[in-house]
Amino acid sequence: MKKSILLGIAILLTMGIASAQTPKERKKVLFEDTELTYTVTDKNEKNGPVFIKDSKKDKTYLKGLNAKDKPSGKWYFYNEDGTLESHYNFDLNKLLYIDTAYLKKIEVKILDKDPEIVQNASIPTLLYPSHLLLKLISNDVQISDADFGGKNQLPIKLTVIISDNGDTEYYVEYAVGNLFTKKKVVLTTKFLDNIWIPSHYKNKNIKSSFTINTSINSDYKAGHRKFNWTY
């Protein structure tokens, strides 16, 4: 009888421990068919695989791993067509791959007066698929219909200022006739808070800018305007 009771207690304890350690899946809809999936512990710490997938197109746009509430190991970011855009390794703290076509879309400036730092500092790293970044930001870009001048698209520059402490500011720049306009973009999407790794040189973070040359449609679709890549 005593052995049976002890065995029962042991089974219950084992089941309790197993239950406490079972990861819980969390999902967040980013767009109509695009969803972020990650796992958390019973303490709500992010731990385990991370994915962004488009169920309609059957495409994976991001895959990575969290450990103890922080990104860990290898993270992969994919273009809209499913090809690899970039690959970052958090264990090495290093960008291991960047698509050459992606490099043609962007302009990077190191905002420092020291020529050695400007010449040798690393580029800031975007830890998010660039096409999804544009889609998210398009919800917050305020451009009047008059600025399009009756055209369907308006060429713009989207610039992100990444400070040495990781803080970011977003701006759109475009021309209306002979007038040049620069507007700050106030972001409403909290998921954009921690997707940048600052430029660095000799273990010191450096302020930089990251500019995407693109254009934006004049028509609202699905509640926002759409960006188009400009090469």
Side-chain angles (χ1 to χ4, degrees):
M1 181 68 178
K2 190 174 181 179
K3 288 183 178 180
S4 298
I5 292 172
L6 291 173
L7 180 60
I9 292 172
I11 292 172
L12 288 172
L13 286 172
T14 302
M15 290 176 63
I17 292 170
S19 175
Q21 293 177 345
T22 301
K24 303 176 182 67
E25 190 174 80
R26 294 284 185 268
K27 292 189 176 184
K28 179 180 180 180
V29 176
L30 302 177
F31 309 105
E32 310 85 58
D33 304 299
T34 306
E35 193 171 60
L36 166 69
T37 303
Y38 59 97
T39 54
V40 297
T41 66
D42 58 320
K43 295 180 180 179
N44 210 36
E45 287 187 344
K46 293 177 182 177
N47 198 71
V50 186
F51 297 98
I52 293 179
K53 293 185 177 182
D54 186 318
S55 57
K56 187 175 182 179
K57 296 180 180 179
D58 192 27
K59 300 286 187 185
T60 297
Y61 294 141
L62 179 153
K63 62 180 181 181
L65 185 70
N66 286 319
K68 297 181 179 179
D69 222 25
K70 293 181 180 180
S72 177
K74 300 175 181 178
W75 281 60
Y76 299 88
F77 310 93
Y78 297 89
N79 294 304
E80 196 166 5
D81 62 5
T83 57
L84 185 63
E85 181 175 79
S86 61
H87 168 205
Y88 190 87
N89 190 311
F90 281 91
D91 294 339
L92 301 175
N93 294 317
K94 190 173 183 180
L95 181 66
L96 296 181
Y97 172 81
I98 187 166
D99 183 15
T100 53
Y102 177 40
L103 284 173
K104 294 178 182 178
K105 304 173 186 177
I106 64 174
E107 299 173 15
V108 173
K109 293 181 180 179
I110 307 301
L111 305 178
D112 197 278
K113 295 180 180 179
D114 188 330
E116 180 183 348
I117 292 176
V118 172
Q119 179 68 29
N120 297 297
S122 67
I123 66 171
T125 303
L126 172 62
L127 301 174
Y128 201 69
S130 59
H131 63 99
L132 293 187
L133 174 69
L134 288 180
K135 199 169 184 179
L136 283 170
I137 291 177
S138 67
N139 295 324
D140 301 315
V141 173
Q142 303 296 323
I143 299 176
S144 68
D145 292 337
D147 285 352
F148 284 87
K151 297 180 180 179
N152 292 329
Q153 292 188 359
L154 179 68
I156 70 170
K157 289 179 178 287
L158 172 67
T159 297
V160 188
I161 306 297
I162 305 105
S163 68
D164 55 1
N165 65 3
D167 289 344
T168 55
E169 293 182 347
Y170 290 74
Y171 297 89
V172 289
E173 303 170 67
Y174 58 92
V176 179
N178 295 324
L179 297 176
F180 182 77
T181 300
K182 182 177 181 179
K183 294 182 178 180
K184 187 173 183 178
V185 181
V186 179
L187 299 179
T188 59
T189 307
K190 292 183 178 180
F191 189 66
L192 295 180
D193 288 350
N194 300 304
I195 62 171
W196 290 97
I197 293 178
S199 165
H200 60 271
Y201 180 64
K202 292 185 176 179
N203 297 318
K204 179 183 177 182
N205 289 343
I206 309 297
K207 185 178 181 180
S208 63
S209 68
F210 185 102
T211 298
I212 299 174
N213 295 301
T214 182
S215 62
I216 191 167
N217 290 353
S218 60
D219 295 332
Y220 280 95
K221 293 182 179 179
H224 60 83
R225 288 185 168 121
K226 180 182 178 183
F227 283 104
N228 294 304
W229 284 116
T230 301
Y231 292 89

